[in-house]
Amino acid sequence: MSSGIDAGILQLIKLDRLSAISCLVHGPTFVVNGRRLNDADLDVGLHLNLTAARRLSRQLEPDSCGL
C-alpha cells in the first residue's frame, strides 16, 4: 500500500508478531517489497483490486478487446 506500511509489516514479520498477511498484488510497492516475503514463515493472501487500480495488461483495454 505504501512504503511506510510495508516497512511496519516487514518489521512485525521479523519480530514474529504476524502469522498471516494480505497483499494487494498490483499496489504501488508490491513489486519491490513482495519479494521480501519469500522467506517469511506466514500465510500470504494475494488480492486484486478490480475497481480502482491501474490496468494489468494492455490487452484489457476496451479498444484492444473489440469493445
Side-chain angles (χ1 to χ4, degrees), residues 23-49:
C23 300
L24 186 60
V25 296
H26 57 286
T29 60
F30 183 76
V31 171
V32 174
N33 292 323
R35 297 170 197 220
R36 296 178 180 178
L37 301 174
N38 286 339
D39 297 327
D41 183 25
L42 67 150
D43 295 326
V44 178
L46 303 177
H47 301 274
L48 294 173
N49 182 341

PDB file of all heavy atoms in Angstrom, residues 23-49:
ATOM      1  N   CYS A  23      -1.921  -9.084   0.658  1.00  0.00           N
ATOM      2  CA  CYS A  23      -1.166  -8.185  -0.214  1.00  0.00           C
ATOM      3  C   CYS A  23      -2.013  -7.783  -1.419  1.00  0.00           C
ATOM      4  O   CYS A  23      -2.659  -8.628  -2.044  1.00  0.00           O
ATOM      5  CB  CYS A  23       0.083  -8.878  -0.741  1.00  0.00           C
ATOM      6  SG  CYS A  23       1.217  -9.418   0.517  1.00  0.00           S
ATOM      7  N   LEU A  24      -1.979  -6.526  -1.753  1.00  0.00           N
ATOM      8  CA  LEU A  24      -2.587  -6.020  -2.978  1.00  0.00           C
ATOM      9  C   LEU A  24      -1.521  -6.140  -4.062  1.00  0.00           C
ATOM     10  O   LEU A  24      -0.576  -5.360  -4.112  1.00  0.00           O
ATOM     11  CB  LEU A  24      -3.029  -4.570  -2.796  1.00  0.00           C
ATOM     12  CG  LEU A  24      -3.814  -3.939  -3.919  1.00  0.00           C
ATOM     13  CD1 LEU A  24      -5.109  -4.708  -4.172  1.00  0.00           C
ATOM     14  CD2 LEU A  24      -4.130  -2.494  -3.586  1.00  0.00           C
ATOM     15  N   VAL A  25      -1.642  -7.156  -4.919  1.00  0.00           N
ATOM     16  CA  VAL A  25      -0.536  -7.533  -5.794  1.00  0.00           C
ATOM     17  C   VAL A  25      -0.197  -6.518  -6.870  1.00  0.00           C
ATOM     18  O   VAL A  25       0.902  -6.548  -7.409  1.00  0.00           O
ATOM     19  CB  VAL A  25      -0.753  -8.924  -6.433  1.00  0.00           C
ATOM     20  CG1 VAL A  25      -0.777  -9.984  -5.364  1.00  0.00           C
ATOM     21  CG2 VAL A  25      -1.996  -8.953  -7.288  1.00  0.00           C
ATOM     22  N   HIS A  26      -1.093  -5.626  -7.207  1.00  0.00           N
ATOM     23  CA  HIS A  26      -0.712  -4.589  -8.151  1.00  0.00           C
ATOM     24  C   HIS A  26      -0.746  -3.210  -7.496  1.00  0.00           C
ATOM     25  O   HIS A  26      -0.937  -2.193  -8.138  1.00  0.00           O
ATOM     26  CB  HIS A  26      -1.500  -4.659  -9.457  1.00  0.00           C
ATOM     27  CG  HIS A  26      -2.991  -4.581  -9.302  1.00  0.00           C
ATOM     28  ND1 HIS A  26      -3.729  -5.620  -8.824  1.00  0.00           N
ATOM     29  CD2 HIS A  26      -3.849  -3.593  -9.572  1.00  0.00           C
ATOM     30  CE1 HIS A  26      -4.999  -5.271  -8.807  1.00  0.00           C
ATOM     31  NE2 HIS A  26      -5.103  -4.052  -9.245  1.00  0.00           N
ATOM     32  N   GLY A  27      -0.482  -3.220  -6.185  1.00  0.00           N
ATOM     33  CA  GLY A  27      -0.287  -1.972  -5.463  1.00  0.00           C
ATOM     34  C   GLY A  27       1.078  -1.381  -5.813  1.00  0.00           C
ATOM     35  O   GLY A  27       1.932  -2.051  -6.379  1.00  0.00           O
ATOM     36  N   PRO A  28       1.290  -0.142  -5.464  1.00  0.00           N
ATOM     37  CA  PRO A  28       2.496   0.564  -5.899  1.00  0.00           C
ATOM     38  C   PRO A  28       3.812   0.026  -5.338  1.00  0.00           C
ATOM     39  O   PRO A  28       4.859   0.234  -5.931  1.00  0.00           O
ATOM     40  CB  PRO A  28       2.261   1.993  -5.431  1.00  0.00           C
ATOM     41  CG  PRO A  28       1.254   1.897  -4.341  1.00  0.00           C
ATOM     42  CD  PRO A  28       0.410   0.704  -4.668  1.00  0.00           C
ATOM     43  N   THR A  29       3.791  -0.710  -4.234  1.00  0.00           N
ATOM     44  CA  THR A  29       5.054  -1.164  -3.639  1.00  0.00           C
ATOM     45  C   THR A  29       5.219  -2.679  -3.649  1.00  0.00           C
ATOM     46  O   THR A  29       6.235  -3.184  -3.194  1.00  0.00           O
ATOM     47  CB  THR A  29       5.167  -0.665  -2.185  1.00  0.00           C
ATOM     48  OG1 THR A  29       4.080  -1.188  -1.422  1.00  0.00           O
ATOM     49  CG2 THR A  29       5.160   0.853  -2.115  1.00  0.00           C
ATOM     50  N   PHE A  30       4.256  -3.411  -4.179  1.00  0.00           N
ATOM     51  CA  PHE A  30       4.329  -4.876  -4.124  1.00  0.00           C
ATOM     52  C   PHE A  30       5.505  -5.436  -4.917  1.00  0.00           C
ATOM     53  O   PHE A  30       6.150  -6.388  -4.488  1.00  0.00           O
ATOM     54  CB  PHE A  30       3.031  -5.511  -4.600  1.00  0.00           C
ATOM     55  CG  PHE A  30       3.039  -7.008  -4.480  1.00  0.00           C
ATOM     56  CD1 PHE A  30       2.874  -7.612  -3.249  1.00  0.00           C
ATOM     57  CD2 PHE A  30       3.241  -7.808  -5.584  1.00  0.00           C
ATOM     58  CE1 PHE A  30       2.901  -8.990  -3.112  1.00  0.00           C
ATOM     59  CE2 PHE A  30       3.274  -9.187  -5.462  1.00  0.00           C
ATOM     60  CZ  PHE A  30       3.102  -9.778  -4.227  1.00  0.00           C
ATOM     61  N   VAL A  31       5.811  -4.870  -6.065  1.00  0.00           N
ATOM     62  CA  VAL A  31       6.903  -5.385  -6.895  1.00  0.00           C
ATOM     63  C   VAL A  31       8.215  -5.393  -6.111  1.00  0.00           C
ATOM     64  O   VAL A  31       8.984  -6.342  -6.174  1.00  0.00           O
ATOM     65  CB  VAL A  31       7.050  -4.561  -8.189  1.00  0.00           C
ATOM     66  CG1 VAL A  31       8.305  -4.946  -8.945  1.00  0.00           C
ATOM     67  CG2 VAL A  31       5.831  -4.744  -9.068  1.00  0.00           C
ATOM     68  N   VAL A  32       8.469  -4.343  -5.347  1.00  0.00           N
ATOM     69  CA  VAL A  32       9.705  -4.247  -4.577  1.00  0.00           C
ATOM     70  C   VAL A  32       9.624  -5.057  -3.285  1.00  0.00           C
ATOM     71  O   VAL A  32      10.486  -5.887  -3.005  1.00  0.00           O
ATOM     72  CB  VAL A  32      10.015  -2.768  -4.239  1.00  0.00           C
ATOM     73  CG1 VAL A  32      11.208  -2.663  -3.327  1.00  0.00           C
ATOM     74  CG2 VAL A  32      10.224  -1.981  -5.509  1.00  0.00           C
ATOM     75  N   ASN A  33       8.593  -4.842  -2.505  1.00  0.00           N
ATOM     76  CA  ASN A  33       8.526  -5.436  -1.171  1.00  0.00           C
ATOM     77  C   ASN A  33       7.915  -6.829  -1.129  1.00  0.00           C
ATOM     78  O   ASN A  33       8.132  -7.563  -0.174  1.00  0.00           O
ATOM     79  CB  ASN A  33       7.789  -4.503  -0.218  1.00  0.00           C
ATOM     80  CG  ASN A  33       8.580  -3.249   0.042  1.00  0.00           C
ATOM     81  OD1 ASN A  33       9.801  -3.287   0.145  1.00  0.00           O
ATOM     82  ND2 ASN A  33       7.904  -2.128   0.120  1.00  0.00           N
ATOM     83  N   GLY A  34       7.169  -7.208  -2.137  1.00  0.00           N
ATOM     84  CA  GLY A  34       6.579  -8.545  -2.165  1.00  0.00           C
ATOM     85  C   GLY A  34       7.632  -9.638  -2.157  1.00  0.00           C
ATOM     86  O   GLY A  34       7.446 -10.698  -1.560  1.00  0.00           O
ATOM     87  N   ARG A  35       8.772  -9.385  -2.782  1.00  0.00           N
ATOM     88  CA  ARG A  35       9.857 -10.379  -2.833  1.00  0.00           C
ATOM     89  C   ARG A  35      10.429 -10.666  -1.452  1.00  0.00           C
ATOM     90  O   ARG A  35      10.969 -11.726  -1.213  1.00  0.00           O
ATOM     91  CB  ARG A  35      10.962  -9.882  -3.747  1.00  0.00           C
ATOM     92  CG  ARG A  35      10.508  -9.727  -5.162  1.00  0.00           C
ATOM     93  CD  ARG A  35      11.536  -9.019  -5.987  1.00  0.00           C
ATOM     94  NE  ARG A  35      10.888  -8.554  -7.202  1.00  0.00           N
ATOM     95  CZ  ARG A  35      11.438  -8.595  -8.378  1.00  0.00           C
ATOM     96  NH1 ARG A  35      12.649  -9.055  -8.519  1.00  0.00           N
ATOM     97  NH2 ARG A  35      10.780  -8.171  -9.427  1.00  0.00           N
ATOM     98  N   ARG A  36      10.313  -9.722  -0.565  1.00  0.00           N
ATOM     99  CA  ARG A  36      10.849  -9.899   0.791  1.00  0.00           C
ATOM    100  C   ARG A  36      10.047 -10.917   1.601  1.00  0.00           C
ATOM    101  O   ARG A  36      10.469 -11.338   2.659  1.00  0.00           O
ATOM    102  CB  ARG A  36      10.877  -8.571   1.522  1.00  0.00           C
ATOM    103  CG  ARG A  36      11.809  -7.583   0.876  1.00  0.00           C
ATOM    104  CD  ARG A  36      11.785  -6.277   1.598  1.00  0.00           C
ATOM    105  NE  ARG A  36      12.692  -5.350   0.961  1.00  0.00           N
ATOM    106  CZ  ARG A  36      12.859  -4.117   1.352  1.00  0.00           C
ATOM    107  NH1 ARG A  36      12.169  -3.649   2.383  1.00  0.00           N
ATOM    108  NH2 ARG A  36      13.693  -3.334   0.722  1.00  0.00           N
ATOM    109  N   LEU A  37       8.887 -11.314   1.087  1.00  0.00           N
ATOM    110  CA  LEU A  37       8.040 -12.271   1.797  1.00  0.00           C
ATOM    111  C   LEU A  37       8.409 -13.719   1.498  1.00  0.00           C
ATOM    112  O   LEU A  37       7.901 -14.631   2.136  1.00  0.00           O
ATOM    113  CB  LEU A  37       6.575 -12.035   1.429  1.00  0.00           C
ATOM    114  CG  LEU A  37       6.025 -10.648   1.746  1.00  0.00           C
ATOM    115  CD1 LEU A  37       4.618 -10.512   1.189  1.00  0.00           C
ATOM    116  CD2 LEU A  37       6.060 -10.390   3.237  1.00  0.00           C
ATOM    117  N   ASN A  38       9.291 -13.946   0.532  1.00  0.00           N
ATOM    118  CA  ASN A  38       9.634 -15.314   0.123  1.00  0.00           C
ATOM    119  C   ASN A  38      10.109 -16.179   1.276  1.00  0.00           C
ATOM    120  O   ASN A  38       9.787 -17.359   1.345  1.00  0.00           O
ATOM    121  CB  ASN A  38      10.700 -15.300  -0.973  1.00  0.00           C
ATOM    122  CG  ASN A  38      10.133 -14.876  -2.306  1.00  0.00           C
ATOM    123  OD1 ASN A  38       8.943 -14.960  -2.536  1.00  0.00           O
ATOM    124  ND2 ASN A  38      10.989 -14.408  -3.181  1.00  0.00           N
ATOM    125  N   ASP A  39      10.901 -15.646   2.171  1.00  0.00           N
ATOM    126  CA  ASP A  39      11.476 -16.438   3.262  1.00  0.00           C
ATOM    127  C   ASP A  39      10.677 -16.357   4.555  1.00  0.00           C
ATOM    128  O   ASP A  39      11.066 -16.958   5.551  1.00  0.00           O
ATOM    129  CB  ASP A  39      12.919 -15.981   3.529  1.00  0.00           C
ATOM    130  CG  ASP A  39      13.812 -16.220   2.327  1.00  0.00           C
ATOM    131  OD1 ASP A  39      13.575 -17.211   1.608  1.00  0.00           O
ATOM    132  OD2 ASP A  39      14.722 -15.412   2.102  1.00  0.00           O
ATOM    133  N   ALA A  40       9.591 -15.627   4.546  1.00  0.00           N
ATOM    134  CA  ALA A  40       8.786 -15.458   5.762  1.00  0.00           C
ATOM    135  C   ALA A  40       7.954 -16.707   6.030  1.00  0.00           C
ATOM    136  O   ALA A  40       7.442 -17.344   5.108  1.00  0.00           O
ATOM    137  CB  ALA A  40       7.874 -14.247   5.629  1.00  0.00           C
ATOM    138  N   ASP A  41       7.830 -17.062   7.280  1.00  0.00           N
ATOM    139  CA  ASP A  41       7.033 -18.220   7.689  1.00  0.00           C
ATOM    140  C   ASP A  41       5.646 -17.740   8.097  1.00  0.00           C
ATOM    141  O   ASP A  41       5.333 -17.626   9.284  1.00  0.00           O
ATOM    142  CB  ASP A  41       7.728 -18.943   8.848  1.00  0.00           C
ATOM    143  CG  ASP A  41       6.990 -20.206   9.262  1.00  0.00           C
ATOM    144  OD1 ASP A  41       6.270 -20.773   8.419  1.00  0.00           O
ATOM    145  OD2 ASP A  41       7.136 -20.607  10.429  1.00  0.00           O
ATOM    146  N   LEU A  42       4.825 -17.401   7.096  1.00  0.00           N
ATOM    147  CA  LEU A  42       3.469 -16.947   7.362  1.00  0.00           C
ATOM    148  C   LEU A  42       2.599 -17.207   6.147  1.00  0.00           C
ATOM    149  O   LEU A  42       3.097 -17.463   5.051  1.00  0.00           O
ATOM    150  CB  LEU A  42       3.446 -15.462   7.729  1.00  0.00           C
ATOM    151  CG  LEU A  42       3.830 -14.463   6.653  1.00  0.00           C
ATOM    152  CD1 LEU A  42       3.083 -13.171   6.886  1.00  0.00           C
ATOM    153  CD2 LEU A  42       5.308 -14.194   6.707  1.00  0.00           C
ATOM    154  N   ASP A  43       1.297 -17.163   6.364  1.00  0.00           N
ATOM    155  CA  ASP A  43       0.333 -17.316   5.277  1.00  0.00           C
ATOM    156  C   ASP A  43       0.192 -15.972   4.578  1.00  0.00           C
ATOM    157  O   ASP A  43       0.105 -14.926   5.228  1.00  0.00           O
ATOM    158  CB  ASP A  43      -1.028 -17.766   5.806  1.00  0.00           C
ATOM    159  CG  ASP A  43      -0.986 -19.154   6.416  1.00  0.00           C
ATOM    160  OD1 ASP A  43      -0.203 -19.990   5.917  1.00  0.00           O
ATOM    161  OD2 ASP A  43      -1.726 -19.391   7.375  1.00  0.00           O
ATOM    162  N   VAL A  44       0.143 -16.010   3.242  1.00  0.00           N
ATOM    163  CA  VAL A  44       0.036 -14.782   2.454  1.00  0.00           C
ATOM    164  C   VAL A  44      -1.185 -14.890   1.555  1.00  0.00           C
ATOM    165  O   VAL A  44      -1.322 -15.837   0.784  1.00  0.00           O
ATOM    166  CB  VAL A  44       1.303 -14.558   1.600  1.00  0.00           C
ATOM    167  CG1 VAL A  44       1.159 -13.316   0.747  1.00  0.00           C
ATOM    168  CG2 VAL A  44       2.544 -14.469   2.480  1.00  0.00           C
ATOM    169  N   GLY A  45      -2.082 -13.913   1.667  1.00  0.00           N
ATOM    170  CA  GLY A  45      -3.234 -13.807   0.775  1.00  0.00           C
ATOM    171  C   GLY A  45      -2.933 -12.776  -0.289  1.00  0.00           C
ATOM    172  O   GLY A  45      -2.463 -11.682   0.019  1.00  0.00           O
ATOM    173  N   LEU A  46      -3.164 -13.128  -1.545  1.00  0.00           N
ATOM    174  CA  LEU A  46      -2.920 -12.210  -2.651  1.00  0.00           C
ATOM    175  C   LEU A  46      -4.258 -11.717  -3.191  1.00  0.00           C
ATOM    176  O   LEU A  46      -5.163 -12.505  -3.439  1.00  0.00           O
ATOM    177  CB  LEU A  46      -2.120 -12.914  -3.751  1.00  0.00           C
ATOM    178  CG  LEU A  46      -0.780 -13.500  -3.308  1.00  0.00           C
ATOM    179  CD1 LEU A  46      -0.132 -14.236  -4.471  1.00  0.00           C
ATOM    180  CD2 LEU A  46       0.132 -12.429  -2.752  1.00  0.00           C
ATOM    181  N   HIS A  47      -4.361 -10.398  -3.383  1.00  0.00           N
ATOM    182  CA  HIS A  47      -5.634  -9.788  -3.765  1.00  0.00           C
ATOM    183  C   HIS A  47      -5.464  -8.850  -4.948  1.00  0.00           C
ATOM    184  O   HIS A  47      -4.441  -8.189  -5.086  1.00  0.00           O
ATOM    185  CB  HIS A  47      -6.216  -9.000  -2.590  1.00  0.00           C
ATOM    186  CG  HIS A  47      -6.446  -9.853  -1.390  1.00  0.00           C
ATOM    187  ND1 HIS A  47      -7.604 -10.566  -1.206  1.00  0.00           N
ATOM    188  CD2 HIS A  47      -5.652 -10.141  -0.337  1.00  0.00           C
ATOM    189  CE1 HIS A  47      -7.516 -11.242  -0.071  1.00  0.00           C
ATOM    190  NE2 HIS A  47      -6.337 -11.003   0.466  1.00  0.00           N
ATOM    191  N   LEU A  48      -6.491  -8.802  -5.781  1.00  0.00           N
ATOM    192  CA  LEU A  48      -6.560  -7.861  -6.891  1.00  0.00           C
ATOM    193  C   LEU A  48      -7.654  -6.844  -6.612  1.00  0.00           C
ATOM    194  O   LEU A  48      -8.733  -7.211  -6.159  1.00  0.00           O
ATOM    195  CB  LEU A  48      -6.908  -8.581  -8.200  1.00  0.00           C
ATOM    196  CG  LEU A  48      -5.886  -9.553  -8.757  1.00  0.00           C
ATOM    197  CD1 LEU A  48      -6.478 -10.295  -9.938  1.00  0.00           C
ATOM    198  CD2 LEU A  48      -4.621  -8.833  -9.152  1.00  0.00           C
ATOM    199  N   ASN A  49      -7.394  -5.596  -6.894  1.00  0.00           N
ATOM    200  CA  ASN A  49      -8.417  -4.567  -6.825  1.00  0.00           C
ATOM    201  C   ASN A  49      -8.924  -4.370  -8.244  1.00  0.00           C
ATOM    202  O   ASN A  49      -8.219  -3.837  -9.091  1.00  0.00           O
ATOM    203  CB  ASN A  49      -7.827  -3.261  -6.275  1.00  0.00           C
ATOM    204  CG  ASN A  49      -8.872  -2.179  -6.148  1.00  0.00           C
ATOM    205  OD1 ASN A  49      -9.931  -2.247  -6.757  1.00  0.00           O
ATOM    206  ND2 ASN A  49      -8.574  -1.182  -5.362  1.00  0.00           N
TER     207      ASN A  49
END
